[in-house]
Amino acid sequence: MKSSDLTIKQLTHLVGGGLTPRMVRHYHQLGLLPQPVRSHSNYRLYTKKDVLRLQRIVALKQQGFQLNHIRNILEVEPEADTTTNLMAQLQQQYRAVMQQISQLRQTASALEGLLGRDRHCQIMQAEVLAQLKLLDVETQAGLGGLENLWSGLDAEIHTHSEAFSESLQRLLPDLSHRSEIEQHLISQLVLACGDVSLVSFIKLSRGAIAASREALSSSCQIVVDTQTVAAALDQTRLLHLGCHIETLIDNPHITTATEAEVAFWQHREWREKLLQVSQGCVLVVGYAPSVLVEVCEAITNQKIQPALVIGMPIGFSHAPAAKRQLMQQEIPFITVAGTLGGGALAATALNALVESLIDKPDCHCYLKNVVNSGEC
């Protein structure tokens, strides 16, 4: 045994990242890590090369790569043209993953079609489930029978309006460990996009709910990135809370993420406007990733101090990076990790928070921009 050799316990301690001896042995079985040499006492012995490979595995796993994809990435020889080979390898993996997602999405849709039924449909639902067990789909007649079952279930939608909350409760994962307001927020975000898998991507910092309620109750300023986001906000409740809405990219012709991103970079006055937001405001970013990047930089440099940042811009490179920067800030935040997002989700998040504070007033005074005029 060389003095530089490491035992499996020393190896896991050195690599860190939550690595355990059991995981190392599993990586050996999968071929992610070559089998080590053995000591005279039959102990596994590891080298610095093993440490480096394990550090790469842990780092890639923390970024969301699955073990089979990590193995493919590590198989690219360092001496080869890694840029070309690795990009081709990653593109091939991406297409395979997207195909798997598509197939799983079809399965999920079929399950949602059965499980996401409210009580008005439950009699027909029970009948469909019972007949599915007995259905012979080997013949054309059997396939026709399956279509008839689904048609019978779908026919129930003509008898009543959809009970969104009731249907959703059958599909959502267990949220009992979250507060009632968080559960409502998550439910509203899922309903806004129609995708239950969004739940695992929703990230709230500790204290985000409390910070938002305190700021909104104090008639804070609401700053949004585009007018499209502003138009989707619950202006009735915000007006009665005394919250004024300010738009950074104040151009009604800018309605898409692409336009917002380009415009924010081209117009310095909008970046300067961001630095003038009031302390304790709520920032809502639903389109331009660069706005969220600028927000994070301004917070880091202590140029602004919002009470809450709702960061949900759209994008495939800058948006995920901006959201990661947001999650590293000490400022309370609500975001959707990865590429998912959009103005509708960002506005829905704020609306859910506002809804938890005040019932919607039975008036239309916000249409006239009348505040405290006595018309309500």
Side-chain angles (χ1 to χ4, degrees):
M1 175 177 176
K2 299 178 183 177
S3 59
S4 59
D5 289 337
L6 302 169
T7 64
I8 193 168
K9 186 175 181 179
Q10 292 171 327
L11 174 74
T12 56
H13 178 73
L14 188 61
V15 173
L19 189 68
T20 64
R22 183 178 180 180
M23 293 167 66
V24 174
R25 290 190 287 268
H26 182 55
Y27 295 161
H28 285 311
Q29 293 174 351
L30 295 177
L32 270 170
L33 192 67
Q35 290 294 336
V37 297
R38 297 273 184 166
S39 68
H40 294 299
S41 302
N42 204 33
Y43 286 104
R44 292 181 173 89
L45 299 178
Y46 297 91
T47 64
K48 290 182 178 179
K49 186 176 181 180
D50 295 319
V51 173
L52 290 174
R53 187 173 180 89
L54 272 172
Q55 286 174 335
R56 294 190 183 103
I57 293 171
V58 171
L60 288 168
K61 189 178 178 183
Q62 289 176 344
Q63 291 301 313
F65 286 93
Q66 301 299 308
L67 292 179
N68 59 326
H69 300 142
I70 293 175
R71 181 174 58 246
N72 292 335
I73 292 173
L74 295 180
E75 282 177 355
V76 177
E77 293 295 334
E79 295 78 12
D81 184 356
T82 56
T83 301
T84 302
N85 291 347
L86 186 56
M87 287 300 295
Q89 180 71 257
L90 292 176
Q91 286 176 339
Q92 183 179 359
Q93 290 184 49
Y94 178 75
R95 286 191 290 268
V97 168
M98 292 307 296
Q99 185 176 4
Q100 291 172 0
I101 290 175
S102 177
Q103 293 170 347
L104 289 171
R105 181 65 259 177
Q106 291 177 15
T107 302
S109 295
L111 290 169
E112 288 164 354
L114 287 172
L115 298 175
R117 302 284 173 164
D118 53 40
R119 59 186 177 82
H120 294 283
C121 299
Q122 285 179 11
I123 296 177
M124 180 61 72
Q125 179 193 49
E127 182 180 338
V128 170
L129 289 172
Q131 293 188 46
L132 278 176
K133 295 181 180 180
L134 305 174
L135 191 62
D136 179 10
V137 295
E138 297 296 328
T139 64
Q140 190 64 36
L143 290 174
L146 183 59
E147 292 178 2
N148 290 336
L149 287 177
W150 231 260
S151 297
L153 189 55
D154 289 342
E156 290 296 308
I157 66 173
H158 298 286
T159 64
H160 62 281
S161 59
E162 181 163 354
F164 287 103
S165 297
E166 185 181 335
S167 297
L168 190 59
Q169 292 310 311
R170 294 169 170 266
L171 301 172
L172 285 173
D174 181 19
L175 300 176
S176 59
H177 61 288
R178 294 181 178 267
S179 69
E180 186 177 339
I181 296 176
E182 286 184 78
Q183 292 181 36
H184 175 67
L185 169 65
I186 293 170
S187 297
Q188 293 303 107
L189 288 172
V190 170
L191 285 173
C193 67
D195 188 351
V196 180
S197 68
L198 183 76
V199 174
S200 60
F201 295 95
I202 299 172
K203 308 295 180 184
L204 288 83
S205 67
R206 181 177 297 179
I209 298 297
S212 68
R213 290 173 67 81
E214 182 179 352
L216 292 168
S217 298
S218 302
S219 303
C220 68
Q221 181 189 40
I222 308 295
V223 182
V224 301
D225 57 342
T226 69
Q227 290 193 8
T228 306
V229 176
L233 295 180
D234 189 341
Q235 298 186 39
T236 306
R237 286 190 173 94
L238 287 172
L239 179 65
H240 281 265
L241 288 170
C243 297
H244 171 69
I245 302 172
E246 185 74 30
T247 305
L248 283 177
I249 305 175
D250 196 13
N251 183 338
H253 298 291
I254 295 174
T255 57
T256 67
T258 303
E259 293 169 342
E261 182 74 356
V262 172
F264 189 73
W265 273 105
Q266 290 181 344
H267 295 82
R268 183 177 178 180
E269 66 268 24
W270 288 333
R271 297 198 296 276
E272 293 176 348
K273 188 177 180 180
L274 173 62
L275 300 179
Q276 298 169 6
V277 300
S278 62
Q279 182 175 341
C281 69
V282 172
L283 280 164
V284 185
V285 182
Y287 280 94
S290 291
V291 172
L292 187 55
V293 172
E294 199 80 7
V295 166
C296 293
E297 184 175 348
I299 293 172
T300 300
N301 295 329
Q302 299 182 341
K303 293 182 178 180
I304 64 173
Q305 191 175 0
L308 174 73
V309 178
I310 299 176
M312 301 183 183
I314 303 172
F316 298 99
S317 60
H318 287 44
K323 293 170 185 177
R324 285 193 290 270
Q325 289 182 25
L326 175 61
M327 288 186 279
Q328 295 170 0
Q329 302 293 328
E330 295 183 0
I331 294 292
F333 65 81
I334 301 174
T335 188
V336 176
T339 61
L340 301 172
L345 285 179
T348 296
L350 182 62
N351 289 343
L353 296 172
V354 172
E355 186 180 350
S356 71
L357 281 171
I358 182 174
D359 291 333
K360 182 169 286 188
D362 187 17
C363 68
H364 302 283
C365 57
Y366 73 97
L367 295 174
K368 302 177 183 178
N369 283 329
V370 177
V371 182
N372 297 326
S373 65
E375 294 188 14
C376 298

